[in-house]
Amino acid sequence: MKRHLLLVEDDANIAAALRNVLEAEGYAVAHADRGERGLEMAIGGRCDVVLTDLKMPGLTGLELVERLHAARPQLPIILMTAHGTSETAIAATKNGAYDYLLKPFEMEELLGVLDKAIASSRLAAQPVSMGDAATERDAIIGQSRAMREIYKEIGRIAAKPVTVLIRGATGTGKELIARAIYQHSERAGRPFIAVNCTAIPENLLESELFGHEKGAFTGAEARRIGRFEQAHTGTILLDEIGDMPLPAQVKLLRFLQERTIQRVGGRDTIPIDVRVLAATHRDLEAAIAAQQFREDLFYRLNVVTITVPPLRQRADDVPALVHYFLRRFGAEFELGEVSIQPEALSFLAEQPWPGNVRELENAVRKALLSARGYSVGLVEVRAACAAAHLSPAVPQPLAQSIAELLGAASRGEIENVHATVLADAERELLAQAIKLAEGNQAKAARWLGISRLTLREKLTAYGLHPAQGSAPDSTT
């Protein structure tokens, strides 16, 4: 989708240069040469992000930030300045700026900040529907008993100022749960900042979260405001918190206890009003035992816990999810109403989906593209599932996977761990064997020590099939 950017810059040459680069990157750029005009355009028009200069005649960049943030709190505003001071940084973020850049800056730096700002804005502004979604792009789909209990829990705790820990395997939709909590809270309309703790290098995570002072470390050429300060009065989501390094855990614990932060390299204590949501796929109890996660932090986070079940435990929701994805992708690809044949839908409902909702979403997309707008049939979904199952992946160590499953079972979250482990192991074994054999079923069966007929039956049961164009089945 086209991203709409408003550029507020009084220097015509700088504005033209920025516009050329941004439009080449896919932005639809509108330009205002004065702060007053920029304020009118941002309030009254289509705008996903604002990029504004600091020094302008009339309404200054800081005044624009303050007035625009009051009118549209969720709209990210990025300030450009050649007069970078500590006071500017504090004033910009205090008044509502998402970030600021010191001139001259690299275009890669600007594009990176814009990407983060728009992603953060989308998370806050895009509504999340629960249970049924005929029109919304983002929805938590399902009417199974487990999902109905989650909807009730969101309703119970959304308006309460409590920390929430969202647990569940990768691909189950933990981020959507967090956004639903935010959107039904009293802080809806205020900033919503999502931070993926695994996407930021360990040595930079503290600075990203809490900011840093000039000279705090090599490369810290100016004061930087962290995500907690940017989320002031709003909500912050710490995604994959189980992978947060221990030094950052210490500072997070201090914030949860005192509701204040200190920037890296700083001495000032800064009060912050922000609600914390955390999400993880890891077994935190096992991480505590391995001294990889602080027990005191766990208890601070674990005020309210929502556990999102894996898709295999709510197979009844698969048909609704499939129809939802077909509607969404049908509209996205301009295919109109798209149907799916009953046997294809049954096949999808029978799959184990180790990658959960995200894996199902990708399979539906692939199948729909293969069908080219016609009714999606069994051939297309089989091929889509085979492509997904045989794609390269980084498997979890077996011991860790078993430990997490047993931990979930001990908390009453899942059942039948024995059957789950055996099925997952057999499925992975078959997938790797048929891939290594380049689709030659006879060769794979020989390696596995089973008959070709048995192999074929198991491949069919797990939805594993050689990719098109692979070596033909042969007994030689």
Side-chain angles (χ1 to χ4, degrees), residues 77-119:
I77 310 165
I78 299 167
L79 196 69
M80 302 178 293
T81 177
H83 310 277
T85 65
S86 298
E87 289 73 22
T88 300
I90 294 172
T93 52
K94 182 179 180 181
N95 290 350
Y98 177 85
D99 211 334
Y100 73 96
L101 294 170
L102 299 179
K103 297 178 180 178
F105 49 79
E106 297 292 333
M107 290 307 301
E108 289 78 7
E109 181 183 8
L110 170 61
L111 294 173
V113 172
L114 287 173
D115 284 344
K116 288 182 180 179
I118 290 176

Side-chain angles (χ1 to χ4, degrees), residues 221-239:
E221 299 177 354
R223 171 181 283 176
R224 173 61 63 189
I225 303 303
R227 299 303 183 196
F228 270 82
E229 285 185 78
Q230 292 174 9
H232 182 59
T233 74
T235 302
I236 190 167
L237 167 63
L238 302 176
D239 200 7

Side-chain angles (χ1 to χ4, degrees), residues 14 41 45 78 84 93 130 132-134 158 191 208 216 281 285-286 310 337 356 360 364 378 409 421 445 450:
I14 293 177
M41 293 172 67
I78 299 167
T93 52
M130 291 185 289
D132 180 37
E208 181 76 12
H281 75 283
E285 291 83 357
E337 292 291 330
N356 295 295
L360 174 62
V364 172
L378 187 58
V421 170
I450 60 178

Side-chain angles (χ1 to χ4, degrees), residues 237-283:
L237 167 63
L238 302 176
D239 200 7
E240 299 302 353
I241 197 170
D243 297 304
M244 179 180 282
L246 288 170
Q249 291 182 34
V250 174
K251 296 197 80 168
L252 176 59
L253 176 64
R254 184 178 301 124
F255 168 77
L256 292 172
Q257 292 171 334
E258 303 173 3
R259 296 292 163 174
T260 62
I261 66 164
Q262 284 186 325
R263 303 189 190 104
V264 176
R267 296 182 179 179
D268 294 338
T269 298
I270 305 166
I272 299 293
D273 173 22
V274 65
R275 183 184 192 178
V276 175
L277 308 178
T280 183
H281 75 283
R282 292 194 65 187
D283 183 340

Side-chain angles (χ1 to χ4, degrees), residues 433-451:
I434 199 67
K435 182 180 179 182
L436 184 62
E438 297 180 333
N440 189 314
Q441 295 182 27
K443 187 184 293 184
R446 188 165 62 250
W447 293 343
L448 294 169
I450 60 178
S451 70

Side-chain angles (χ1 to χ4, degrees), residues 8 60 67 119 126 181 213 227 257 285-286 304 381 393 431 451 476:
V8 187
T60 68
R67 292 170 63 174
Q126 183 66 44
I181 294 171
E213 298 290 349
R227 299 303 183 196
Q257 292 171 334
E285 291 83 357
V304 174
V381 298
S451 70
T476 59

Side-chain angles (χ1 to χ4, degrees), residues 36 55 82 105 116 180 219 237 268 290 322 325 335 353 435 464 467:
E36 293 85 353
K55 297 289 186 179
F105 49 79
K116 288 182 180 179
L237 167 63
D268 294 338
V322 171
F325 291 134
L335 299 175
W353 302 115
K435 182 180 179 182
L464 299 171

Side-chain angles (χ1 to χ4, degrees), residues 133-298:
T135 57
E136 287 86 352
R137 186 188 185 282
D138 288 344
I140 309 168
I141 301 297
Q143 290 295 340
S144 61
R145 181 176 179 180
M147 295 309 298
R148 291 199 303 269
E149 288 302 316
I150 287 177
Y151 304 148
K152 293 177 186 177
E153 188 65 11
I154 291 173
R156 281 191 289 264
I157 56 93
K160 297 180 174 62
V162 293
T163 302
V164 182
L165 178 61
I166 307 167
R167 309 182 70 161
T170 300
T172 50
K174 297 186 293 296
E175 181 191 282
L176 288 176
I177 299 294
R179 286 169 54 193
I181 294 171
Y182 158 74
Q183 290 171 4
H184 288 80
S185 74
E186 295 179 352
R187 294 174 185 258
R190 308 306 301 172
F192 179 86
I193 303 292
V195 182
N196 188 325
C197 297
T198 60
I200 302 169
E202 181 175 336
N203 61 329
L204 296 179
L205 183 58
E206 283 188 67
S207 172
E208 181 76 12
L209 292 175
F210 305 107
H212 64 253
E213 298 290 349
K214 180 179 180 180
F217 50 83
T218 303
E221 299 177 354
R223 171 181 283 176
R224 173 61 63 189
I225 303 303
R227 299 303 183 196
F228 270 82
E229 285 185 78
Q230 292 174 9
H232 182 59
T233 74
T235 302
I236 190 167
L237 167 63
L238 302 176
D239 200 7
E240 299 302 353
I241 197 170
D243 297 304
M244 179 180 282
L246 288 170
Q249 291 182 34
V250 174
K251 296 197 80 168
L252 176 59
L253 176 64
R254 184 178 301 124
F255 168 77
L256 292 172
Q257 292 171 334
E258 303 173 3
R259 296 292 163 174
T260 62
I261 66 164
Q262 284 186 325
R263 303 189 190 104
V264 176
R267 296 182 179 179
D268 294 338
T269 298
I270 305 166
I272 299 293
D273 173 22
V274 65
R275 183 184 192 178
V276 175
L277 308 178
T280 183
H281 75 283
R282 292 194 65 187
D283 183 340
L284 294 184
E285 291 83 357
I288 292 169
Q291 298 184 337
Q292 297 172 344
F293 200 83
R294 293 182 62 99
E295 186 174 14
D296 46 5
L297 176 58
F298 172 74

